[in-house]
Amino acid sequence: MCLSCLRYEYTSGNDALVVKEVLLDEHDELWTQLRHMHIADVMKAVSTQMKSFLQSKKVTKPGAEVSIRELSKVMKRIPQYRKELNKYEIHMHLAEECMRRYKDSVEQLCPIEQDLAMGVTSQGEKVRDPMRLIIPILLDQDVDVESKLRLLLLYIVIKNGISDENLQKLVKHGQIPQSEFSTITNMQHLGIPVISEGDRDRKKKRPPRRERADDTYNVSRWVPVIKDVMEDAIDGTLDSKLFPFVPGTASSHTEDSDVNVATGAKSARWTWHHRDNQQQPGAVARAGPRLIIFIAGGATYSELRCGYEVSADENRKGWEVVIGSNCMISPEQYLLELRDLERPVQAS
């Protein structure tokens, strides 16, 4: 997890504006516990832990509600616990600010994005006319251009391209500036058809996705494809046609050899790293095997979260997933880089 420097403001108990900067890293136990949780769960966890701490120190009564402003007053009364209370104050502010931003804009878009990405609604009904989902958002004057662009791009991806006529209509409905038109058309440089004529051109076989238990929030049903790749790599069920040179696939090694004849790569017997460690004097073998994934071009924070989730999966106990990239991509950054993508990368 990359280090994050947080700067925030709040009003103290004496109505003074306070500005703080904190570093969120691996030394913050509460941060490492909460950073990949759903915001609704974070709100409950921070509140519950803080109340439990205050009650254990007999500072508040059971059931008492404590806000950030009231917390600053509490810290003055019990300065000996300032360090612990300051930790809760930081994460209470983080949770409240995330929830405020969610309510301001994300709440309206999330259900639609999830329905488009999943192909079914939260009630399990198939989305038969995705255009009907995006039109109200495109016509909404209060929705920013970036959100409309993301929604339009998602629609194009799931349709595997749309007609030029429909594209022009949707851009007009959304009042998307002409200067942003290249953001849409540049998707073709990433292998995504933007303009497609006829149903024949739109048909594209997608790799099958893993079935997952429906035990999450309706606005976070989508699971990044990279999680399927991680689990398949660990389980040894990677599609050899998609990953012919990755250890664990049928075509990546011969039956009786530890080395691939064609590539010279080591085989899918994930124990070779232990053998190498034993050959090196003083080397300490890891407790379990390690899966290393590098995503060229940038990774998202949800993909990073998948690495933590798979590493903590009891069904794959002992495995450590290390995921990296040349940069981390936010939704805003993705659109900026897509807009500036003028031409496709030339094959070497």
Side-chain angles (χ1 to χ4, degrees):
M1 184 68 179
C2 57
L3 303 184
S4 302
C5 185
L6 172 69
R7 184 178 186 274
Y8 68 98
E9 300 176 353
Y10 69 94
T11 303
S12 66
N14 57 3
D15 295 326
L17 184 64
V18 179
V19 180
K20 282 191 174 183
E21 285 191 4
V22 293
L23 183 65
L24 302 174
D25 60 11
E26 303 293 331
H27 295 93
D28 187 336
E29 293 182 3
L30 193 54
W31 167 246
T32 58
Q33 175 189 343
L34 301 173
R35 59 186 170 188
H36 292 308
M37 291 173 59
H38 191 280
I39 181 60
D41 294 330
V42 170
M43 294 288 289
K44 295 176 185 177
V46 175
S47 178
T48 300
Q49 290 190 33
M50 184 184 66
K51 288 179 182 178
S52 177
F53 176 79
L54 293 175
Q55 291 171 17
S56 68
K57 304 302 178 184
K58 299 182 179 180
V59 178
T60 60
K61 297 179 180 180
E65 297 295 330
V66 181
S67 65
I68 294 180
R69 186 172 181 175
E70 292 168 341
L71 191 58
S72 63
K73 295 180 180 179
V74 172
M75 283 192 286
K76 289 183 178 180
R77 297 204 309 266
I78 49 173
Q80 66 271 29
Y81 300 125
R82 178 177 295 274
K83 182 179 179 180
E84 291 85 351
L85 293 176
N86 185 60
K87 176 181 64 175
Y88 291 117
E89 177 190 64
I90 292 169
H91 292 284
M92 277 186 65
H93 172 84
L94 261 178
E96 290 180 359
E97 179 64 16
C98 287
M99 184 58 75
R100 183 187 68 79
R101 296 196 181 193
Y102 172 78
K103 293 289 186 182
D104 285 348
S105 59
V106 182
E107 186 176 28
Q108 180 186 8
L109 297 173
C110 268
I112 299 173
E113 290 179 335
Q114 291 295 311
D115 288 352
L116 289 174
M118 297 297 295
V120 294
T121 66
S122 57
Q123 291 77 34
E125 299 177 358
K126 185 177 181 180
V127 177
R128 301 188 182 278
D129 189 2
M131 186 179 289
R132 293 183 60 184
L133 294 177
I134 69 173
I135 288 296
I137 300 298
L138 294 177
L139 294 175
D140 194 333
Q141 300 288 333
D142 294 329
V143 178
D144 58 84
V145 173
E146 289 74 17
S147 296
K148 293 179 179 181
L149 272 173
R150 294 203 312 273
L151 206 59
L152 180 53
L153 290 174
L154 180 56
Y155 174 73
I156 292 173
V157 169
I158 64 172
K159 296 293 290 184
N160 202 40
I162 60 177
S163 68
D164 182 64
E165 180 183 0
N166 282 342
L167 177 58
Q168 297 297 336
K169 287 181 180 179
L170 293 173
V171 168
K172 184 178 181 180
H173 286 325
Q175 297 183 348
I176 297 174
Q178 191 64 31
S179 59
E180 294 290 350
F181 197 75
S182 62
T183 305
I184 302 171
T185 57
N186 281 346
M187 285 287 285
Q188 62 187 323
H189 301 325
L190 301 179
I192 304 297
V194 177
I195 305 299
S196 181
E197 300 295 341
D199 293 336
R200 179 181 175 184
D201 294 338
R202 294 181 194 150
K203 292 181 180 179
K204 183 179 180 181
K205 185 178 180 181
R206 301 181 185 276
R209 296 300 310 274
R210 279 181 172 243
E211 293 290 334
R212 299 187 182 276
D214 188 18
D215 58 355
T216 185
Y217 292 92
N218 290 335
V219 294
S220 56
R221 287 172 288 144
W222 168 258
V223 176
V225 176
I226 194 66
K227 189 170 186 179
D228 288 358
V229 175
M230 293 175 184
E231 293 174 341
D232 287 343
I234 292 174
D235 296 344
T237 57
L238 275 177
D239 188 336
S240 60
K241 294 181 180 179
L242 296 176
F243 302 93
F245 304 110
V246 176
T249 59
S251 64
S252 64
H253 63 284
T254 60
E255 183 176 354
D256 299 322
S257 176
D258 279 350
V259 179
N260 184 295
V261 176
T263 65
K266 293 189 175 180
S267 81
R269 298 191 183 95
W270 295 97
T271 56
W272 60 263
H273 63 288
H274 292 300
R275 184 184 65 234
D276 288 350
N277 284 336
Q278 292 171 0
Q279 293 175 351
Q280 298 174 8
V284 179
R286 294 192 297 270
R290 177 178 293 168
L291 175 65
I292 302 176
I293 295 179
F294 183 86
I295 302 179
T300 64
Y301 289 102
S302 59
E303 290 171 330
L304 203 65
R305 182 186 68 237
C306 292
Y308 284 94
E309 291 174 345
V310 175
S311 296
D313 190 347
E314 288 295 327
N315 294 326
R316 298 171 180 84
K317 193 172 183 181
W319 277 88
E320 179 186 13
V321 178
V322 179
I323 180 171
S325 182
N326 48 299
C327 65
M328 297 304 300
I329 297 182
S330 65
E332 295 80 6
Q333 186 65 26
Y334 180 82
L335 291 177
L336 286 174
E337 295 193 9
L338 189 58
R339 183 189 63 191
D340 296 335
L341 191 63
E342 295 292 341
R343 56 186 180 276
V345 177
Q346 298 295 325
S348 57

